[in-house]
Amino acid sequence: MRAFRRELALCAISALVAALGLATPAAAAPADCVVVDTDFDIDDLMSIPTVIGARHVAAVVTTEGFTRAPMGASAVERLIAEPGQRRIPVIVGAGINRSDADIAESFGDFVPVYRALLDRLNNFLPTPLPPAQTSPDFVRQVVDATAGCQTVDALLLGGFTSFVAYSPAIRAKLGRVVITGRPLEGDPDLEAVESFNCLYDRASCVTAFHEQLPGLDHTYVDVPRTDCDLTPNAAGCTGTVYGPTLAMVRALGPVGLPNTLKQVLLNHPDSWALDTWEQSGYGGRTLFWDQSATLALLDPAAFRTVGAHVETTLSPEEFQATWTEYTNLAAVYR
């Protein structure tokens, strides 16, 4: 953690320099890059800035899931459009164009609720932004965005619809592939097979798990389960559940992307905070799913193997503090 704090101090200084309008030298793109693949749910919103502060993100790819890819791309672009920081390509990826009727039949109404919430950046925007422009060849956009990278780690926070299209094109460069959730051969007692990311587009999930991931350095990441997961504020449960709290978000810094994320999240805490779990309804009962995958990418030593996946060894309080420290690094983009 000392290295964290030292880097955090350097970033704070750089952010202050930028705030004062002083020139800072442009950093050369590093050889090791990350592609973040997201369906832009609440936990994705809390994960993308964390990566940007600690690694060089070559591109963010949006995939249909909790949001539709063009709307998710618009929201991500708005979130990370910080003055003075480098532009990170946000690429509209693939989707299977599930109809509203099909979604309602399969998932009920919580997916439309999430979409309305995230299209407006956690209700931070008064109206949704126009959908981002799509490309007939988003795979080429991914290839171009990673052209200067020697290795590319992939952080898969959503479904696999986009990944199965672009991963063959960059397979020779792929380093670590870190995935939210468990493999198809996971623990059936925990319904790991039927995670939302696989349920939404199971065909691409099967293709990725059985045909593309073998031979790659890939890791599945889940949250440690507790008996208090559905009652985090009950007697004896406080502080035991792996989920986000108001305190960890309030500890984000006062400048740049950490401050923007803080304002977006505190604008509507019922969508994510353990503190308001009982009155949150749809959109608010969230654990550290994508945040765990993100931390496993950045700090794999903080995880242990549990069957076919990994889980953090940190306590919930330690995890929350570590998320804040990493995310505060995003005052300056890597």
Side-chain angles (χ1 to χ4, degrees):
M1 296 302 288
R2 290 179 182 174
F4 266 160
R5 295 188 177 96
R6 184 166 55 249
E7 187 168 359
L8 180 60
L10 291 173
C11 286
I13 292 170
S14 297
L16 178 61
V17 168
L20 293 174
L22 302 178
T24 54
D32 299 325
C33 305
V34 177
V35 168
V36 179
D37 196 324
T38 174
D39 65 345
F40 204 58
D41 191 5
I42 287 288
D43 48 347
D44 306 60
L45 168 64
M46 299 182 75
S47 298
I48 293 169
T50 311
V51 190
I52 288 173
R55 293 287 304 273
H56 182 87
V57 175
V60 177
V61 179
T62 59
T63 298
E64 181 185 333
F66 274 107
T67 53
R68 297 196 185 277
M71 296 302 294
S74 292
V76 173
E77 285 179 341
R78 173 61 185 87
L79 174 68
I80 66 176
E82 288 294 328
Q85 300 300 326
R86 69 179 182 88
R87 181 184 177 275
I88 299 172
V90 179
I91 299 168
V92 179
I96 56 173
N97 298 313
R98 292 186 74 151
S99 68
D100 291 343
D102 179 33
I103 289 171
E105 182 178 352
S106 300
F107 304 106
D109 61 354
F110 79 91
V111 172
V113 169
Y114 269 82
R115 286 182 174 174
L117 184 74
L118 272 300
D119 286 352
R120 292 175 51 206
L121 258 185
N122 194 41
N123 285 347
F124 188 72
L125 302 173
T127 59
L129 296 169
Q133 183 175 0
T134 61
S135 169
D137 188 6
F138 79 91
V139 172
R140 172 50 56 186
Q141 291 181 304
V142 175
V143 171
D144 290 346
T146 57
C149 308
Q150 291 182 10
T151 63
V152 178
D153 291 341
L155 179 62
L156 305 184
L157 305 179
F160 301 87
T161 320
S162 299
F163 179 77
V164 297
Y166 66 73
S167 74
I170 61 170
R171 186 179 178 92
K173 290 185 175 184
L174 280 174
R176 297 179 64 213
V177 181
V178 181
I179 304 158
T180 298
R182 303 191 185 192
L184 289 173
E185 293 74 22
D187 183 350
D189 292 335
L190 294 177
E191 298 181 353
V193 172
E194 302 302 337
S195 68
F196 177 83
N197 292 343
C198 278
L199 267 179
Y200 195 87
D201 178 8
R202 203 169 194 283
S204 70
C205 179
V206 171
T207 297
F209 285 21
H210 289 168
E211 299 178 22
Q212 296 187 348
L213 291 172
L216 295 175
D217 179 4
H218 62 286
T219 304
Y220 303 101
V221 188
D222 200 6
V223 181
R225 309 295 178 116
T226 79
D227 292 337
C228 292
D229 285 352
L230 298 179
T231 57
N233 299 312
C237 289
T238 304
T240 67
V241 175
Y242 286 83
T245 63
L246 290 169
M248 67 179 244
V249 171
R250 288 171 177 155
L252 291 173
V255 297
L257 183 55
N259 182 58
T260 297
L261 179 63
K262 177 165 61 174
Q263 305 312 314
V264 167
L265 290 171
L266 293 181
N267 171 70
H268 185 46
D270 285 357
S271 67
W272 57 269
L274 286 183
D275 313 67
T276 60
W277 180 285
E278 287 77 11
Q279 61 262 29
S280 63
Y282 286 140
R285 299 187 171 185
T286 177
L287 301 178
F288 280 140
W289 295 298
D290 290 343
Q291 298 95 326
S292 291
T294 299
L295 188 57
L297 172 72
L298 303 179
D299 188 10
F303 288 76
R304 66 185 180 95
T305 299
V306 180
H309 69 281
V310 301
E311 297 177 2
T312 186
T313 58
L314 302 177
S315 69
E317 183 179 17
E318 290 169 332
F319 192 108
Q320 291 153 5
T322 302
W323 176 87
T324 301
E325 288 200 55
Y326 265 120
T327 306
N328 272 333
L329 298 179
V332 175
Y333 288 11
R334 289 291 298 268

